[in-house]
Amino acid sequence: MQQLSASTSSHDANQRLGKRSSLRNGDSAMNQSEVKAELNGTKAFGMSMFGFPKIALPGVFAEFAEQGVARAQEGCEKVKAASEEIAEALRETYSSNARSATDYGLKLIEISNSNTASAIDFLAHLLGSKSITDVLTLSAEQARKTVDTTSAQNKDLWELAQKLATETGEPIRRHAAKVLQKAG
C-alpha cells in the first residue's frame, strides 16, 4: 500500500513540475473561457465615453504634444544659454584667479627674499660686534625693524588676498546676475 501512495505522490509532483515549466514558457495557468472580457458597444468595462467625439481627441492630443515640444525646445535653449554663460564665468574666474594667485606667490617670494637678506645682514653685523652692549643694541634694532617689516608685509599680503577674493567672485556674480535676468 505504501508503494501505491509513493507512486501517486510521484505522479502529482511530476504534474506540478510540468505546470511550472509550462508557465515559464509563457503558457497561462487559466484557459481562455475563464479570462474572457467583452466590450459593450460604446462602453468599455461598463463606463460611458462621456460624450467626447472620437475624431476631436487626436487633434487635441496633437496640439498638446506640439505645445509640449515647443516648451521643451524653449527650455533647452534657455539651459544652453545659461550653460554658456556659466562656462564663460568659469573661464574668466580661472583666468583672474591664476593672475591673482601668481601675484600672491610672487609677493611671498619677494617677502622671503627680503627677510632672508635682512637676517643675513643682522648675522653679519652681529658677528662684527665687539661687546655685549653692541649685541643687545643690534638685537633690539633688528627686532623693531622685523616687527615693522612684518607688519607692512602682512598688510601687502592681506590686500592681495582681498583682491584675489574679489576678482575671483566678480565674474561669477556678474554672469549669474545675467543668467537670472534672462531667465526671469
Side-chain angles (χ1 to χ4, degrees):
M1 177 111 158
Q2 202 161 8
Q3 249 181 349
L4 182 61
S5 158
S7 163
T8 305
S9 126
S10 171
H11 178 67
D12 290 342
N14 284 337
Q15 281 184 336
R16 282 189 301 246
L17 183 60
K19 282 185 182 178
R20 282 188 201 140
S21 66
S22 175
L23 288 174
R24 283 188 199 132
N25 292 333
D27 296 341
S28 67
M30 299 179 172
N31 63 26
Q32 287 182 346
S33 64
E34 293 172 333
V35 187
K36 222 176 208 184
E38 294 181 13
L39 295 178
N40 183 7
T42 59
K43 296 181 178 184
F45 300 107
M47 296 173 59
S48 68
M49 295 296 286
F50 303 108
F52 288 125
K54 291 183 181 181
I55 297 171
L57 287 176
V60 170
F61 288 129
E63 185 178 326
F64 284 142
E66 288 174 10
Q67 288 175 355
V69 168
R71 286 182 186 151
Q73 286 174 338
E74 182 181 317
C76 286
E77 291 299 321
K78 285 182 180 180
V79 168
K80 182 180 175 185
S83 173
E84 289 170 358
E85 285 291 330
I86 296 300
E88 180 62 28
L90 291 175
R91 278 191 290 275
E92 286 181 28
T93 299
Y94 179 77
S95 176
S96 174
N97 193 2
R99 273 191 313 272
S100 296
T102 300
D103 291 345
Y104 193 86
L106 290 172
K107 189 63 169 179
L108 283 175
I109 292 170
E110 178 186 321
I111 288 171
S112 178
N113 187 29
S114 173
N115 290 345
T116 302
S118 177
I120 291 172
D121 286 346
F122 170 67
L123 186 60
H125 286 109
L126 197 61
L127 291 174
S129 5
K130 305 250 189 237
S131 70
I132 194 84
T133 53
D134 286 345
V135 169
L136 290 176
T137 304
L138 282 172
S139 294
E141 286 177 17
Q142 181 65 25
R144 181 188 50 76
K145 190 169 133 183
T146 301
V147 167
D148 292 344
T149 304
T150 302
S151 177
Q153 291 169 344
N154 284 338
K155 182 181 175 211
D156 291 345
L157 289 175
W158 178 249
E159 288 171 359
L160 284 173
Q162 284 180 322
K163 179 182 171 190
L164 173 73
T166 302
E167 288 179 358
T168 298
E170 180 59 28
I172 292 174
R173 186 194 62 76
R174 188 176 63 247
H175 285 283
K178 192 184 294 184
V179 167
L180 291 175
Q181 188 178 30
K182 284 181 181 179

